Amino acid sequence: MATFGERFKQLRLQRGLTQDKLASSFSLNKSSISRYEKDSQVPENPALQGFADLFEVSMDYLLGRSDVRNVGPENQYEPILTQKNERDIGKLLNKTLEMIKSQDAIMLDGDILDEEDLEILAKSIKAGLEYAKISNKKKYTPKKYRNSK
């Protein structure tokens, strides 16, 4: 596997960033970026996370500990849906699908949807509901769980 410095330089170049431009966007100097790329220094955690976010890669990939480059749902540490969340989503999905199926015909781009299309639509609606629930969990953390700084 590649080293941090090799990955860091490769990602910077892929983004079309100069050392100066990258350094200024993180309030660093060019020599810090140069040291990172030469593997003579590794950034502190906040900067490391910032670089991973900028390059849209996992920190493990950036550090050379993994070859999994992209951060996808399977690699993110997101709030997990509880059983209650799953039940609520299921109920809402069922209500929505009943409402859709009660219509005489549903059209998409001028064609009436068949059973296969309805199944795809149901999966899409479920994915949207799950995404909304997870997004809201991230957004609304109860006061007792917030960090007091």
Side-chain angles (χ1 to χ4, degrees):
M1 279 189 234
T3 66
F4 166 76
E6 293 167 342
R7 291 238 167 112
F8 185 71
K9 183 175 183 177
Q10 175 192 26
L11 291 166
R12 176 183 63 79
L13 293 173
Q14 286 174 352
R15 287 282 173 152
L17 296 170
T18 63
Q19 287 183 343
D20 283 326
K21 194 167 192 172
L22 182 59
S24 67
S25 62
F26 281 87
S27 301
L28 299 168
N29 55 37
K30 180 183 171 184
S31 62
S32 293
I33 302 299
S34 178
R35 285 192 300 273
Y36 298 158
E37 291 181 359
K38 292 178 183 174
D39 283 317
S40 59
Q41 183 180 350
V42 176
E44 298 289 325
N45 260 353
L48 192 60
Q49 183 62 56
F51 293 136
D53 290 344
L54 172 71
F55 297 133
E56 297 176 343
V57 297
S58 69
M59 285 180 55
D60 283 341
Y61 176 83
L62 189 57
L63 289 169
R65 298 188 319 194
S66 169
D67 286 331
V68 178
R69 177 184 171 133
N70 294 328
V71 178
E74 65 279 357
N75 298 325
Q76 292 179 356
Y77 300 103
E78 292 188 347
I80 297 171
L81 293 175
T82 63
Q83 287 181 343
K84 182 186 182 308
N85 296 146
E86 293 286 347
R87 282 192 307 272
D88 292 346
I89 288 170
K91 288 177 186 176
L92 186 54
L93 179 62
N94 288 335
K95 284 182 186 178
T96 305
L97 292 175
E98 286 174 22
M99 186 176 68
I100 290 171
K101 289 178 181 179
S102 71
Q103 306 299 315
D104 289 335
I106 302 169
M107 298 183 81
L108 180 66
D109 291 331
D111 294 327
I112 295 177
L113 297 181
D114 60 16
E115 286 300 316
E116 185 180 340
D117 293 332
L118 284 172
E119 188 176 320
I120 293 169
L121 180 61
K123 287 179 181 178
S124 299
I125 292 170
K126 183 178 181 191
L129 292 170
E130 289 173 349
Y131 178 79
K133 187 65 88 170
I134 288 171
S135 294
N136 282 334
K137 279 184 168 218
K138 287 181 181 179
K139 196 184 314 181
Y140 302 108
T141 304
K143 287 182 183 179
K144 66 181 183 179
Y145 296 114
R146 292 182 192 160
N147 291 336
S148 55
K149 293 182 180 182

